[in-house]
């Protein structure tokens, strides 16, 4: 009677532990990852996931007006759908990262799946004319063993984030409220932060697009400077 109960509890604990590991923003088994850097300098990186979509144009306009360079994590299948917009991101001098080909969960899959997703998207990013380092951000931050192993073999860095105003659990349902996004970001950003926004979907993401110029202005007013993720890593204390 007792033994099955213990077995169930152990299973549940292992299952829960695995889920927690898949989602962790500060740990993975191989190669390490970056969610922010330690620095005394007021530098931060703005990052956007799920590019490109039709909304890229307005985000690039905002960044050009504010003279800010950001990092765009692109989905391979979306690059195939909107090749001109992917090229526009590269031509605007933005940093480009790999956000998988199909935006599926990057855990508990066959090893060849990770290889295909990473390699195909890297080729598509190079096809836009991008020549900088290509870093990787797993869709929804999910990874376990196979993906980190492959990325570490390929010397591809995994980039997470420490400030996510629009969907992060502890904020509750904040989508659709630009004021909330601005205030949350101002409250949580520290020197060396990596800020994640999702400005590229249609209606729900309008709040992110509305918040973007305000986040830039308010953080600059507080003395912050915006850099790409590559530049940010150079500020890390040794
Ligand atoms: Zn995503």
């Amino acid at each position: 009677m007792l033994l099955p109960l213990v077995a169930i509890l152990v299973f549940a604990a292992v299952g829960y532990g695995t889920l927690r590991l898949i989602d962790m923003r500060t740990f993975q088994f191989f190669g390490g990852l970056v969610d922010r850097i330690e620095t005394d300098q007021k530098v931060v990186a703005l990052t956007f996931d799920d590019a490109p979509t039709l909304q890229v144009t307005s985000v690039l306009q905002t960044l050009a007006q504010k003279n800010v360079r950001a990092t765009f994590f692109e989905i391979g299948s979306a690059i195939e759908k909107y090749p001109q917009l992917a090229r526009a991101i590269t031509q605007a001098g933005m940093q480009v990262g790999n956000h998988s080909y199909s935006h599926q969960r990057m855990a508990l899959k066959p090893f060849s799946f990770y290889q295909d997703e990473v390699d195909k998207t890297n080729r598509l990013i190079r096809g836009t004319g991008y020549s900088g380092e290509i870093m990787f951000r797993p869709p929804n931050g999910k990874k376990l063993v196979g993906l980190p192993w492959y990325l570490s073999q390929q010397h591809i860095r995994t980039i997470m984030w420490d400030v996510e105003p629009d969907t992060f659990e502890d904020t509750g349902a904040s989508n659709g409220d630009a004021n909330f996004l601005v205030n949350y970001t101002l409250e949580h950003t520290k020197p060396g932060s990596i800020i994640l926004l999702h400005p590229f979907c249609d209606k729900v993401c309008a709040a992110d697009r509305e918040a973007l110029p305000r986040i830039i202005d308010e953080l600059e007013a507080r003395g912050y400077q915006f850099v790409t993720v590559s530049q940010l890593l150079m500020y890390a204390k040794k």
Side-chain angles (χ1 to χ4, degrees), residues 25-139:
R25 286 187 290 160
T26 52
F27 169 80
Q28 67 181 359
F29 282 114
F30 303 100
L33 43 72
V34 178
D35 68 320
R36 62 178 298 270
I37 60 136
E38 284 300 328
T39 176
D40 299 326
Q41 314 244 13
K42 285 190 149 183
V43 283
V44 289
L46 267 178
T47 67
F48 308 124
D49 280 6
D50 310 333
T53 66
L54 294 174
Q55 287 74 27
V56 157
T57 310
S58 83
V59 170
L60 284 178
Q61 271 167 4
T62 301
L63 295 174
Q65 277 163 10
K66 305 288 179 192
N67 198 21
V68 161
R69 284 178 76 205
T71 303
F72 290 61
F73 286 93
E74 300 187 0
I75 300 171
S77 57
I79 301 174
E80 286 177 338
K81 195 168 171 193
Y82 301 110
Q84 295 93 332
L85 293 170
R87 270 198 294 278
I89 295 168
T90 296
Q91 280 162 8
M94 301 298 155
Q95 183 173 343
V96 178
N98 182 330
H99 194 46
S100 83
Y101 178 79
S102 63
H103 206 268
Q104 294 181 57
R105 187 192 65 222
M106 297 291 276
L108 312 173
K109 294 268 197 327
F111 190 70
S112 60
F113 176 81
Y114 308 124
Q115 270 178 313
D116 289 346
E117 290 274 324
V118 172
D119 294 355
K120 209 166 162 184
T121 303
N122 272 7
R123 279 197 298 276
L124 286 161
I125 290 172
R126 291 293 178 219
T128 70
Y130 183 74
S131 58
E133 178 181 351
I134 301 177
M135 302 174 184
F136 189 87
R137 175 175 281 163

Side-chain angles (χ1 to χ4, degrees), residues 28 30 106-107 111 114-115 117-118 136-139 142-153 158:
Q28 67 181 359
F30 303 100
M106 297 291 276
F111 190 70
Y114 308 124
Q115 270 178 313
E117 290 274 324
V118 172
F136 189 87
R137 175 175 281 163
K142 294 194 189 303
K143 68 260 163 283
L144 192 58
V145 176
L147 174 68
W149 171 252
Y150 184 62
L151 294 174
S152 72
Q153 291 299 298
T158 306

